[in-house]
Amino acid sequence: MLHVRSIWNGAISFGLVSIPIKLVNATESHSISFRQIHTEDGGRIRYRKVCELEEREVTSAEIGKGYEDADGTIIPITDEDLSHLPLPTARTIEIVAFVPADRIDPLQMDAAYYLQAGGAPAAKPYTLLREALKRSNKVAIAKYALRGRERLGMLRVVGDAIAMHGLLWPDEVRAPEGVAPDTSVTVRDKELDLADALMDTLGEVDLDDLHDEYREAVEEVVAAKAAGETPREAPSAPSSGKVLDLMAALEKSVRAAKESRGEEREPAAEPEAAKVSRLPQRTSARSAPKQTGGKKSTSTAKKTTAASRKSTQAAKKQAASKSTAGAKTTAGTKTTAGAKSTAGAKSTAKKTAAKKASTTATATATATEKKTAAKKTATRKRTA
C-alpha cells in the first residue's frame, strides 16, 4: 500500500457500481531545483505579492481569483460562483467508454496517478473492475474534475493496481502543420538498409537501466563546491555540424554500436579496389642513377629489388640444375639401351656363325666318309 498523501478523494462510477478511491501521484520528480540569489552577497531573491493599487504586500488570505477580459478588465470569480456549476464529476471519476489501448494517441498523455481503494468496502468492486480491464485488453475512458476544471482520463491496469493517465482534450493537441521538411527528398533503399541495420544493432533496452546522467553530474558539482573543491571538467561535447555524407555517418554509427556491444568489427561494405603495381625493371649498374639523401623508402626499394634478384637467380640455378640432371638421365638411358641392343646383336651373330661352322664340319665329314668308302670298293674290285 502506498503511504503517499492523496491529492483527491472521490469514487469511480462504473455504471451503477460506485468504488470509493483516493487519487495519489504515480510519479515524482528527481530534478535538482535552484534558488535565485544575489550574486554579490549570496542573499536569497524572493517574490512578494504586492497589490498594484495599494502598492503593499498582501497575505494569501487576501488573494482571490479573477478573469481578465479582452480589454484588460478583471472580472472577480469566487469559489461560490464555481460551486454552482453543473459539474457532475466534481467528486466522481465517471467511466464513459472502453476502447483498445492503441486508440489513444500518446500525444494526449498527461500526468499519471494511481487509484487507491478507499477502505475495505471498495476491495471487491475495485478488484472486479481491474479483472474486467485485464480480460478485455481494453482501457477505460473517464471524465473527472480536478483543481477547478473537468479533465479527461484513461484507466488501465498496472500490476495489481488501477492507474489513471490524465489526457488532453483532442482540441488541445496541435496538428503537426509546418513541422515536416517541405523539401523534396529521396531516400535510397541502401540508406534504409543501413538505418535498419543500425536499429537492429542498437536493439532493445531495459528502461530500468537508464538514468539521469545530467542530474548526477550536477550533484557532483554541488558536492565538490560544498567541500571547497574545484569541480572536475566534463568531457567536451562532440561538435554538431551538418551531416555531409549520410551513408558514411550510418556506416560509422553501425560500427560504433557493434563495438560498444562487444561484437566483432565487420569490414566496410564497399572496400576500395586493390591497386596493381608493376615491378621495377632491372637496370645495369652503369645506367642506374645514384641514390642521394638516404631516404628510408629508397633503401627499402633497394632491399626489395636485391631480394627479388637473388630469388630470380636462385630460381634460374635450380631450373638449370633440374635441366642438367634430366639431360644426364636421358643420355644414360639412351646409352644403356644402345649397349644392350649392340650386345644382343653380336651374341646373335656368334650363334649363327657357330651353327654354320657345325653344319659345314658335318657336311665335310660325311663327304670324306663317302670318298673313303668308294676307294675301298674300287680296291676290292681290282683285287678280285
Side-chain angles (χ1 to χ4, degrees):
M1 182 177 292
L2 289 174
H3 298 286
V4 181
R5 185 174 62 88
S6 63
I7 61 174
W8 184 88
N9 294 336
I12 300 175
S13 175
F14 179 30
L16 297 179
V17 178
S18 181
I19 310 171
I21 56 98
K22 294 180 180 180
L23 193 67
V24 298
N25 285 318
T27 61
E28 56 186 3
S29 176
H30 291 166
S31 61
I32 298 176
S33 59
F34 297 100
R35 304 294 185 186
Q36 289 187 333
I37 61 171
H38 190 197
T39 56
E40 292 185 3
D41 53 19
R44 285 280 303 273
I45 302 297
R46 299 181 182 273
Y47 292 96
R48 289 182 169 86
K49 297 178 180 180
V50 177
C51 175
E52 294 181 351
L53 297 179
E54 299 181 6
E55 294 184 354
R56 69 176 180 88
E57 185 178 357
V58 296
T59 63
S60 298
E62 301 176 83
I63 299 174
K65 300 183 184 69
Y67 176 81
E68 185 175 2
D69 205 352
D71 59 359
T73 304
I74 301 296
I75 303 173
I77 301 294
T78 65
D79 292 337
E80 185 179 0
D81 295 332
L82 298 176
S83 64
H84 296 295
L85 292 177
L87 192 62
T89 56
R91 288 294 173 183
T92 305
I93 298 176
E94 182 183 359
I95 295 177
V96 297
F98 293 89
V99 300
D102 57 6
R103 287 272 303 275
I104 306 302
D105 191 338
L107 285 173
Q108 289 185 255
M109 294 288 188
D110 200 2
Y113 309 95
Y114 285 130
L115 303 181
Q116 182 179 356
K124 182 65 179 289
Y126 185 98
T127 304
L128 172 63
L129 177 59
R130 182 191 67 196
E131 296 304 314
L133 289 172
K134 278 185 180 179
R135 191 166 69 172
S136 66
N137 290 322
K138 293 182 177 181
V139 296
I141 303 300
K143 288 182 177 183
Y144 67 101
L146 182 64
R147 299 187 180 97
R149 55 171 294 206
E150 189 174 54
R151 303 169 187 264
L152 194 63
M154 177 190 75
L155 277 64
R156 69 185 184 95
V157 178
V158 177
D160 291 332
I162 299 176
M164 183 174 71
H165 295 268
L167 298 179
L168 300 174
W169 295 99
D171 59 357
E172 292 180 318
V173 179
R174 295 177 177 175
E177 296 178 359
V179 177
D182 57 358
T183 305
S184 177
V185 177
T186 301
V187 178
R188 296 179 294 171
D189 290 340
K190 193 168 185 180
E191 293 171 337
L192 284 174
D193 293 340
L194 280 173
D196 290 341
L198 178 58
M199 293 168 63
D200 293 338
T201 303
L202 292 176
E204 298 182 357
V205 66
D206 187 352
L207 295 180
D208 292 335
D209 295 336
L210 302 179
H211 57 280
D212 189 350
E213 297 180 3
Y214 179 79
R215 176 173 58 86
E216 294 176 354
V218 172
E219 289 175 348
E220 290 183 6
V221 171
V222 173
K225 297 277 284 186
E229 301 174 355
T230 303
R232 63 184 181 88
E233 294 184 1
S236 58
S239 59
S240 57
K242 294 182 178 179
V243 179
L244 300 180
D245 190 342
L246 183 58
M247 290 291 292
L250 286 170
E251 291 174 353
K252 187 176 180 181
S253 299
V254 172
R255 289 196 297 270
K258 288 185 176 180
E259 290 175 2
S260 66
R261 290 178 175 269
E263 299 180 14
E264 294 184 0
R265 186 172 181 178
E266 295 184 357
E270 295 183 355
E272 294 183 0
K275 295 181 180 180
V276 180
S277 303
R278 295 183 178 179
L279 293 175
Q281 296 181 354
R282 296 179 60 185
T283 56
S284 62
R286 293 178 182 178
S287 61
K290 294 182 179 181
Q291 302 292 334
T292 59
K295 294 182 179 178
K296 290 184 179 180
S297 58
T298 307
S299 176
T300 304
K302 285 183 177 180
K303 291 180 180 178
T304 304
T305 305
S308 177
R309 289 176 180 175
K310 289 182 180 180
S311 177
T312 304
Q313 291 175 359
K316 287 183 177 180
K317 288 182 180 180
Q318 188 175 0
S321 177
K322 288 182 179 179
S323 177
T324 303
K328 287 182 178 180
T329 302
T330 305
T333 303
K334 289 182 178 180
T335 302
T336 304
K340 287 183 178 179
S341 299
T342 304
K346 288 182 179 181
S347 176
T348 303
K350 285 181 180 182
K351 289 180 180 180
T352 303
K355 287 182 179 180
K356 287 181 179 181
S358 177
T359 303
T360 303
T362 303
T364 303
T366 303
T368 302
E369 289 178 357
K370 286 181 177 181
K371 287 180 179 182
T372 302
K375 286 181 179 181
K376 288 181 176 182
T377 301
T379 302
R380 288 175 181 172
K381 288 179 176 183
R382 286 189 199 123
T383 304

